[in-house]
Amino acid sequence: MELTASHWMYLVGTLVIIMTMLFRQNVVVPAIIMTFFVGWTYLGSFFEGLQTVFYASLVAAGELFNIFLIIAIMTALLNALQKMGSDELMIVPFQRVMKNGHLSFWVLAMVTYVISLFFWPTPAVPLVGALLIPVAVRAGLPPIGTGIAISLAGQGMALSSDYIIQIAPMLTATAAATEMTPVADRSFVLSIITGGIALLLAYLSLRKYITAPIQQSASDVDKQKAERKPIKKMAASYAIIVPLAFLGIVVYMVIAKFTGLVDSIEGGAGAALIGGTALFILIALSASTDWKSMFSSVSDHLVDGFVFAFRAMAPVLPIAGFFFIGSGDQAAAVLSLSEGATAPSFLFELVEAGQNYIPNNAFMAGFGILIVGMLTGLDGSGFSGLPLVGALSGALGPTVGVDVATLGAIGQMGSVWVGGGTLIAWSSLVAVAGFANVPVMELVRKSFLPVMAGLIISTLFGLYFF
């Protein structure tokens, strides 16, 4: 198709935002300004361009509110556990394994990877974030290290292969008109290489910031005891009940995945189950602490949770809004187009227009597909670009002499590692940042070089060994 002025404006906006990120500046202002210019250019009205800025953040809020909600609920639950004193009792068993920050980094990565491989990162983040991040921080791992370990293992390594649920390789293989099994197998190998290198480099960069385990002073302990009600038996009970409740959810998901005894749980349904369970535990906790003030205390905890969630995620909304214009699924709502009108898909149309400029040799084709996958991931959905990279792989593979499944797996790595939530702030990465209590843009910056190194090496491996 023919590119219009609005396509070029969207491309300029994308480049401006990327350059702003590289210069370690906040990208909210560039995102708002470029959203306005894209809307003005496409709609031809200055005032409708202004409206586009508002609608972009509104649509982003609707798309991302499930992340807001799970952060708020789990934060409220943590606050209730802290008030009772169960939080310290609950983490005692983990302290035996997570004795220092170095071990904590790898334990976080391993647990997140296993859960995410079976159930995707959506339910893994609140589970690991609520139960293990406090342990890791106390063991000496800096908060940014907890976020990096979880995001690289979950949103990166596990989701990029999607080896168990296999939605990602199915999308790629279908578009490439090839068998799914080789795509899934090669994606799995490439994800392990990418994730292993990224985790190792991230760990090495964090080593100097890992401190000795935090020992509370006697005055701090006395102060905490004075602030808490002496409900030792009840606190111990909930220190057992809460982990068992979440473990029960994991067992339920395993049964649902491998048997037909219960209904299957996929994607956001797992997070919904965790959130609903957490709310009932919150009510029970508040009633056990002081049943007379239960109604007000539950409300107060939820308010605190939402304040925390919005403080963590609010800056992401204008950024996500800009990139949602590039997606045909959300562009109609952002641009407030009438029902039935054909919505533009700026990002994918730009990528399609540039595919003919990829040189006709194996090396450049492989890295060209990787870059295309990474660009399609900029809309915040790691899977939305898979049909495009699959189709390009099917078209380029026979021409350049590279197996179609290999090119598809490489493109899948680029799309999911970026869009799935390791290198962009307007994805589920905000949930990781929220639980780790670190700025999401700082998490992106710290992850950039390790992830890029992993993607480059895995691409070279795929081209030369598959």
Tab-separated table of all heavy atoms in Angstrom, residues 193-241:
chain	number	residue	atom	x	y	z
A	193	ILE	N	18.925	-19.948	24.796
A	193	ILE	CA	20.189	-19.241	24.529
A	193	ILE	C	20.046	-17.762	24.851
A	193	ILE	O	20.884	-17.175	25.557
A	193	ILE	CB	20.609	-19.443	23.063
A	193	ILE	CG1	20.930	-20.910	22.790
A	193	ILE	CG2	21.813	-18.557	22.716
A	193	ILE	CD1	21.163	-21.230	21.331
A	194	THR	N	18.982	-17.144	24.337
A	194	THR	CA	18.763	-15.712	24.580
A	194	THR	C	18.620	-15.438	26.071
A	194	THR	O	19.259	-14.528	26.618
A	194	THR	CB	17.499	-15.227	23.853
A	194	THR	OG1	17.586	-15.547	22.467
A	194	THR	CG2	17.329	-13.720	24.007
A	195	GLY	N	17.768	-16.223	26.741
A	195	GLY	CA	17.533	-16.005	28.160
A	195	GLY	C	18.746	-16.288	29.016
A	195	GLY	O	19.036	-15.548	29.963
A	196	GLY	N	19.486	-17.359	28.679
A	196	GLY	CA	20.675	-17.677	29.466
A	196	GLY	C	21.717	-16.582	29.390
A	196	GLY	O	22.293	-16.182	30.415
A	197	ILE	N	21.949	-16.073	28.180
A	197	ILE	CA	22.931	-14.999	28.013
A	197	ILE	C	22.454	-13.715	28.686
A	197	ILE	O	23.214	-13.034	29.388
A	197	ILE	CB	23.195	-14.763	26.517
A	197	ILE	CG1	23.919	-15.971	25.927
A	197	ILE	CG2	24.002	-13.482	26.296
A	197	ILE	CD1	24.033	-15.947	24.427
A	198	ALA	N	21.171	-13.378	28.496
A	198	ALA	CA	20.636	-12.149	29.089
A	198	ALA	C	20.687	-12.206	30.613
A	198	ALA	O	21.076	-11.230	31.278
A	198	ALA	CB	19.196	-11.923	28.616
A	199	LEU	N	20.299	-13.339	31.198
A	199	LEU	CA	20.327	-13.470	32.657
A	199	LEU	C	21.750	-13.409	33.191
A	199	LEU	O	22.013	-12.765	34.218
A	199	LEU	CB	19.662	-14.778	33.079
A	199	LEU	CG	18.129	-14.798	33.052
A	199	LEU	CD1	17.613	-16.220	33.190
A	199	LEU	CD2	17.548	-13.920	34.156
A	200	LEU	N	22.681	-14.069	32.498
A	200	LEU	CA	24.071	-14.062	32.952
A	200	LEU	C	24.658	-12.658	32.910
A	200	LEU	O	25.291	-12.203	33.885
A	200	LEU	CB	24.902	-15.008	32.093
A	200	LEU	CG	26.398	-15.085	32.436
A	200	LEU	CD1	26.599	-15.560	33.862
A	200	LEU	CD2	27.131	-15.992	31.452
A	201	LEU	N	24.443	-11.948	31.794
A	201	LEU	CA	24.973	-10.588	31.689
A	201	LEU	C	24.322	-9.649	32.689
A	201	LEU	O	24.988	-8.789	33.281
A	201	LEU	CB	24.775	-10.065	30.256
A	201	LEU	CG	25.592	-10.759	29.163
A	201	LEU	CD1	25.265	-10.171	27.789
A	201	LEU	CD2	27.085	-10.628	29.447
A	202	ALA	N	23.010	-9.817	32.888
A	202	ALA	CA	22.313	-8.976	33.865
A	202	ALA	C	22.841	-9.237	35.269
A	202	ALA	O	23.062	-8.302	36.055
A	202	ALA	CB	20.815	-9.240	33.804
A	203	TYR	N	23.060	-10.520	35.581
A	203	TYR	CA	23.593	-10.866	36.909
A	203	TYR	C	24.981	-10.268	37.115
A	203	TYR	O	25.287	-9.695	38.170
A	203	TYR	CB	23.633	-12.381	37.066
A	203	TYR	CG	24.450	-12.850	38.240
A	203	TYR	CD1	23.989	-12.695	39.545
A	203	TYR	CD2	25.707	-13.432	38.046
A	203	TYR	CE1	24.750	-13.109	40.621
A	203	TYR	CE2	26.474	-13.848	39.116
A	203	TYR	CZ	25.994	-13.690	40.406
A	203	TYR	OH	26.740	-14.086	41.476
A	204	LEU	N	25.837	-10.373	36.103
A	204	LEU	CA	27.189	-9.824	36.225
A	204	LEU	C	27.159	-8.311	36.408
A	204	LEU	O	27.981	-7.752	37.147
A	204	LEU	CB	28.013	-10.188	34.980
A	204	LEU	CG	28.327	-11.683	34.805
A	204	LEU	CD1	29.053	-11.928	33.484
A	204	LEU	CD2	29.167	-12.197	35.979
A	205	SER	N	26.213	-7.642	35.746
A	205	SER	CA	26.118	-6.185	35.902
A	205	SER	C	25.572	-5.782	37.267
A	205	SER	O	25.785	-4.656	37.717
A	205	SER	CB	25.227	-5.598	34.799
A	205	SER	OG	23.874	-5.975	34.986
A	206	LEU	N	24.871	-6.709	37.925
A	206	LEU	CA	24.264	-6.405	39.226
A	206	LEU	C	25.124	-6.828	40.411
A	206	LEU	O	24.836	-6.446	41.547
A	206	LEU	CB	22.905	-7.105	39.345
A	206	LEU	CG	21.762	-6.581	38.486
A	206	LEU	CD1	20.614	-7.583	38.484
A	206	LEU	CD2	21.276	-5.233	38.999
A	207	ARG	N	26.141	-7.632	40.151
A	207	ARG	CA	26.902	-8.229	41.260
A	207	ARG	C	27.418	-7.197	42.254
A	207	ARG	O	27.348	-7.397	43.466
A	207	ARG	CB	28.086	-9.032	40.712
A	207	ARG	CG	27.689	-10.363	40.097
A	207	ARG	CD	28.910	-11.197	39.773
A	207	ARG	NE	29.625	-11.582	40.978
A	207	ARG	CZ	30.780	-12.234	40.974
A	207	ARG	NH1	31.356	-12.567	39.817
A	207	ARG	NH2	31.378	-12.561	42.103
A	208	LYS	N	27.922	-6.083	41.735
A	208	LYS	CA	28.513	-5.094	42.645
A	208	LYS	C	27.474	-4.376	43.492
A	208	LYS	O	27.822	-3.714	44.468
A	208	LYS	CB	29.336	-4.080	41.854
A	208	LYS	CG	28.536	-3.293	40.820
A	208	LYS	CD	29.453	-2.361	40.045
A	208	LYS	CE	28.683	-1.592	38.974
A	208	LYS	NZ	29.566	-0.706	38.183
A	209	TYR	N	26.195	-4.492	43.112
A	209	TYR	CA	25.129	-3.836	43.874
A	209	TYR	C	24.469	-4.776	44.877
A	209	TYR	O	23.629	-4.353	45.661
A	209	TYR	CB	24.061	-3.289	42.927
A	209	TYR	CG	24.592	-2.286	41.928
A	209	TYR	CD1	24.725	-2.609	40.578
A	209	TYR	CD2	24.981	-1.009	42.340
A	209	TYR	CE1	25.217	-1.704	39.663
A	209	TYR	CE2	25.484	-0.090	41.430
A	209	TYR	CZ	25.592	-0.446	40.086
A	209	TYR	OH	26.089	0.462	39.191
A	210	ILE	N	24.830	-6.066	44.827
A	210	ILE	CA	24.264	-7.022	45.776
A	210	ILE	C	24.959	-6.851	47.120
A	210	ILE	O	26.191	-6.852	47.215
A	210	ILE	CB	24.427	-8.466	45.262
A	210	ILE	CG1	23.628	-8.648	43.960
A	210	ILE	CG2	23.956	-9.472	46.303
A	210	ILE	CD1	23.808	-10.014	43.318
A	211	THR	N	24.174	-6.697	48.153
A	211	THR	CA	24.710	-6.428	49.487
A	211	THR	C	24.543	-7.657	50.384
A	211	THR	O	23.949	-8.666	50.002
A	211	THR	CB	23.990	-5.232	50.121
A	211	THR	OG1	22.589	-5.541	50.269
A	211	THR	CG2	24.131	-3.992	49.248
A	212	ALA	N	25.066	-7.536	51.580
A	212	ALA	CA	24.879	-8.599	52.572
A	212	ALA	C	23.417	-8.642	52.986
A	212	ALA	O	22.697	-7.638	52.894
A	212	ALA	CB	25.768	-8.341	53.781
A	213	PRO	N	22.929	-9.787	53.429
A	213	PRO	CA	21.536	-9.875	53.889
A	213	PRO	C	21.226	-8.822	54.947
A	213	PRO	O	22.053	-8.520	55.803
A	213	PRO	CB	21.447	-11.293	54.472
A	213	PRO	CG	22.491	-12.060	53.726
A	213	PRO	CD	23.609	-11.092	53.478
A	214	ILE	N	20.043	-8.256	54.840
A	214	ILE	CA	19.629	-7.179	55.744
A	214	ILE	C	19.302	-7.759	57.111
A	214	ILE	O	18.482	-8.667	57.238
A	214	ILE	CB	18.411	-6.428	55.184
A	214	ILE	CG1	18.773	-5.783	53.843
A	214	ILE	CG2	17.907	-5.390	56.172
A	214	ILE	CD1	17.595	-5.148	53.135
A	215	GLN	N	19.965	-7.234	58.119
A	215	GLN	CA	19.673	-7.622	59.496
A	215	GLN	C	18.961	-6.471	60.186
A	215	GLN	O	19.465	-5.348	60.231
A	215	GLN	CB	20.972	-7.949	60.244
A	215	GLN	CG	21.780	-9.071	59.609
A	215	GLN	CD	21.079	-10.402	59.720
A	215	GLN	OE1	20.254	-10.615	60.611
A	215	GLN	NE2	21.406	-11.319	58.810
A	216	GLN	N	17.780	-6.744	60.704
A	216	GLN	CA	17.023	-5.693	61.366
A	216	GLN	C	17.621	-5.389	62.734
A	216	GLN	O	17.998	-6.299	63.479
A	216	GLN	CB	15.564	-6.109	61.525
A	216	GLN	CG	14.793	-6.151	60.226
A	216	GLN	CD	13.349	-6.526	60.464
A	216	GLN	OE1	13.056	-7.597	60.952
A	216	GLN	NE2	12.450	-5.631	60.125
A	217	SER	N	17.702	-4.112	63.048
A	217	SER	CA	18.197	-3.714	64.360
A	217	SER	C	17.147	-3.991	65.428
A	217	SER	O	15.965	-4.156	65.139
A	217	SER	CB	18.550	-2.221	64.355
A	217	SER	OG	17.381	-1.446	64.143
A	218	ALA	N	17.597	-4.033	66.655
A	218	ALA	CA	16.671	-4.300	67.762
A	218	ALA	C	15.607	-3.216	67.868
A	218	ALA	O	14.441	-3.496	68.171
A	218	ALA	CB	17.458	-4.396	69.068
A	219	SER	N	16.007	-1.964	67.590
A	219	SER	CA	15.038	-0.869	67.672
A	219	SER	C	13.963	-1.005	66.601
A	219	SER	O	12.781	-0.745	66.851
A	219	SER	CB	15.749	0.476	67.527
A	219	SER	OG	16.425	0.550	66.281
A	220	ASP	N	14.368	-1.432	65.379
A	220	ASP	CA	13.389	-1.629	64.305
A	220	ASP	C	12.415	-2.742	64.648
A	220	ASP	O	11.211	-2.635	64.401
A	220	ASP	CB	14.095	-1.942	62.990
A	220	ASP	CG	14.840	-0.743	62.433
A	220	ASP	OD1	14.466	0.394	62.793
A	220	ASP	OD2	15.785	-0.947	61.643
A	221	VAL	N	12.958	-3.815	65.217
A	221	VAL	CA	12.092	-4.931	65.598
A	221	VAL	C	11.111	-4.499	66.674
A	221	VAL	O	9.917	-4.810	66.616
A	221	VAL	CB	12.935	-6.123	66.082
A	221	VAL	CG1	12.031	-7.227	66.629
A	221	VAL	CG2	13.802	-6.661	64.947
A	222	ASP	N	11.608	-3.768	67.668
A	222	ASP	CA	10.724	-3.305	68.744
A	222	ASP	C	9.653	-2.365	68.211
A	222	ASP	O	8.488	-2.420	68.635
A	222	ASP	CB	11.544	-2.584	69.822
A	222	ASP	CG	12.467	-3.541	70.573
A	222	ASP	OD1	12.185	-4.761	70.548
A	222	ASP	OD2	13.463	-3.069	71.155
A	223	LYS	N	10.029	-1.504	67.261
A	223	LYS	CA	9.062	-0.572	66.685
A	223	LYS	C	7.981	-1.298	65.920
A	223	LYS	O	6.790	-0.983	66.023
A	223	LYS	CB	9.794	0.407	65.756
A	223	LYS	CG	8.886	1.481	65.152
A	223	LYS	CD	9.686	2.427	64.278
A	223	LYS	CE	8.772	3.492	63.668
A	223	LYS	NZ	9.537	4.410	62.791
A	224	GLN	N	8.375	-2.322	65.154
A	224	GLN	CA	7.392	-3.093	64.394
A	224	GLN	C	6.468	-3.860	65.319
A	224	GLN	O	5.267	-3.957	65.070
A	224	GLN	CB	8.107	-4.062	63.444
A	224	GLN	CG	8.794	-3.371	62.280
A	224	GLN	CD	9.500	-4.368	61.365
A	224	GLN	OE1	9.521	-5.558	61.655
A	224	GLN	NE2	10.067	-3.872	60.295
A	225	LYS	N	7.025	-4.407	66.384
A	225	LYS	CA	6.186	-5.144	67.327
A	225	LYS	C	5.178	-4.226	68.000
A	225	LYS	O	4.039	-4.608	68.261
A	225	LYS	CB	7.055	-5.806	68.390
A	225	LYS	CG	7.850	-7.001	67.867
A	225	LYS	CD	8.660	-7.641	68.978
A	225	LYS	CE	9.408	-8.872	68.473
A	225	LYS	NZ	10.217	-9.494	69.546
A	226	ALA	N	5.609	-2.985	68.275
A	226	ALA	CA	4.700	-2.032	68.925
A	226	ALA	C	3.570	-1.619	68.000
A	226	ALA	O	2.454	-1.335	68.446
A	226	ALA	CB	5.484	-0.799	69.367
A	227	GLU	N	3.843	-1.596	66.700
A	227	GLU	CA	2.829	-1.171	65.737
A	227	GLU	C	1.851	-2.281	65.410
A	227	GLU	O	0.787	-2.031	64.851
A	227	GLU	CB	3.510	-0.693	64.444
A	227	GLU	CG	4.306	0.598	64.628
A	227	GLU	CD	5.051	0.979	63.370
A	227	GLU	OE1	5.115	0.128	62.450
A	227	GLU	OE2	5.572	2.103	63.301
A	228	ARG	N	2.198	-3.513	65.712
A	228	ARG	CA	1.341	-4.633	65.363
A	228	ARG	C	0.629	-5.173	66.586
A	228	ARG	O	1.144	-5.151	67.692
A	228	ARG	CB	2.169	-5.761	64.742
A	228	ARG	CG	2.703	-5.421	63.363
A	228	ARG	CD	3.653	-6.487	62.892
A	228	ARG	NE	4.121	-6.229	61.551
A	228	ARG	CZ	5.225	-6.746	61.039
A	228	ARG	NH1	5.968	-7.550	61.753
A	228	ARG	NH2	5.575	-6.475	59.797
A	229	LYS	N	-0.553	-5.708	66.348
A	229	LYS	CA	-1.306	-6.349	67.405
A	229	LYS	C	-0.691	-7.729	67.667
A	229	LYS	O	-0.352	-8.443	66.740
A	229	LYS	CB	-2.780	-6.495	67.005
A	229	LYS	CG	-3.488	-5.163	66.864
A	229	LYS	CD	-4.925	-5.393	66.451
A	229	LYS	CE	-5.638	-4.055	66.305
A	229	LYS	NZ	-5.984	-3.447	67.564
A	230	PRO	N	-0.590	-8.130	68.910
A	230	PRO	CA	0.037	-9.415	69.233
A	230	PRO	C	-0.872	-10.610	68.947
A	230	PRO	O	-1.455	-11.209	69.854
A	230	PRO	CB	0.320	-9.268	70.722
A	230	PRO	CG	-0.745	-8.345	71.216
A	230	PRO	CD	-0.990	-7.375	70.098
A	231	ILE	N	-0.999	-10.943	67.669
A	231	ILE	CA	-1.854	-12.071	67.278
A	231	ILE	C	-0.936	-13.140	66.698
A	231	ILE	O	-0.945	-13.421	65.502
A	231	ILE	CB	-2.916	-11.651	66.251
A	231	ILE	CG1	-3.563	-10.346	66.664
A	231	ILE	CG2	-3.977	-12.734	66.087
A	231	ILE	CD1	-4.569	-9.836	65.667
A	232	LYS	N	-0.122	-13.738	67.530
A	232	LYS	CA	0.916	-14.639	67.046
A	232	LYS	C	0.336	-15.892	66.393
A	232	LYS	O	0.780	-16.310	65.337
A	232	LYS	CB	1.847	-15.006	68.195
A	232	LYS	CG	2.630	-13.817	68.738
A	232	LYS	CD	3.603	-14.242	69.818
A	232	LYS	CE	4.406	-13.055	70.329
A	232	LYS	NZ	5.361	-13.441	71.390
A	233	LYS	N	-0.639	-16.503	67.026
A	233	LYS	CA	-1.205	-17.727	66.481
A	233	LYS	C	-1.903	-17.464	65.149
A	233	LYS	O	-1.763	-18.226	64.195
A	233	LYS	CB	-2.179	-18.351	67.475
A	233	LYS	CG	-1.506	-18.915	68.727
A	233	LYS	CD	-2.520	-19.606	69.618
A	233	LYS	CE	-1.834	-20.198	70.849
A	233	LYS	NZ	-2.818	-20.860	71.739
A	234	MET	N	-2.658	-16.373	65.101
A	234	MET	CA	-3.355	-16.041	63.868
A	234	MET	C	-2.372	-15.687	62.755
A	234	MET	O	-2.556	-16.062	61.603
A	234	MET	CB	-4.324	-14.892	64.112
A	234	MET	CG	-5.371	-14.732	63.028
A	234	MET	SD	-6.468	-16.153	62.917
A	234	MET	CE	-7.379	-15.976	64.453
A	235	ALA	N	-1.309	-14.945	63.114
A	235	ALA	CA	-0.302	-14.587	62.116
A	235	ALA	C	0.370	-15.833	61.556
A	235	ALA	O	0.600	-15.953	60.350
A	235	ALA	CB	0.738	-13.655	62.735
A	236	ALA	N	0.674	-16.787	62.426
A	236	ALA	CA	1.292	-18.030	61.974
A	236	ALA	C	0.339	-18.822	61.081
A	236	ALA	O	0.762	-19.436	60.102
A	236	ALA	CB	1.706	-18.866	63.184
A	237	SER	N	-0.939	-18.787	61.416
A	237	SER	CA	-1.925	-19.512	60.614
A	237	SER	C	-1.986	-18.962	59.186
A	237	SER	O	-1.971	-19.724	58.210
A	237	SER	CB	-3.310	-19.420	61.263
A	237	SER	OG	-3.298	-20.022	62.547
A	238	TYR	N	-2.035	-17.630	59.086
A	238	TYR	CA	-2.117	-17.035	57.744
A	238	TYR	C	-0.801	-17.131	56.993
A	238	TYR	O	-0.784	-17.104	55.760
A	238	TYR	CB	-2.585	-15.583	57.839
A	238	TYR	CG	-4.078	-15.466	57.969
A	238	TYR	CD1	-4.673	-15.248	59.196
A	238	TYR	CD2	-4.897	-15.616	56.862
A	238	TYR	CE1	-6.054	-15.165	59.331
A	238	TYR	CE2	-6.272	-15.538	56.971
A	238	TYR	CZ	-6.851	-15.309	58.206
A	238	TYR	OH	-8.216	-15.237	58.319
A	239	ALA	N	0.311	-17.237	57.716
A	239	ALA	CA	1.593	-17.456	57.053
A	239	ALA	C	1.619	-18.808	56.351
A	239	ALA	O	2.386	-19.015	55.397
A	239	ALA	CB	2.730	-17.378	58.066
A	240	ILE	N	0.781	-19.733	56.802
A	240	ILE	CA	0.654	-21.043	56.157
A	240	ILE	C	-0.469	-21.024	55.129
A	240	ILE	O	-0.338	-21.560	54.019
A	240	ILE	CB	0.385	-22.140	57.212
A	240	ILE	CG1	1.567	-22.226	58.189
A	240	ILE	CG2	0.146	-23.484	56.528
A	240	ILE	CD1	1.321	-23.150	59.351
A	241	ILE	N	-1.584	-20.387	55.469
A	241	ILE	CA	-2.774	-20.400	54.609
A	241	ILE	C	-2.507	-19.715	53.271
A	241	ILE	O	-2.886	-20.230	52.212
A	241	ILE	CB	-3.965	-19.730	55.322
A	241	ILE	CG1	-4.422	-20.594	56.499
A	241	ILE	CG2	-5.120	-19.487	54.352
A	241	ILE	CD1	-5.449	-19.923	57.379
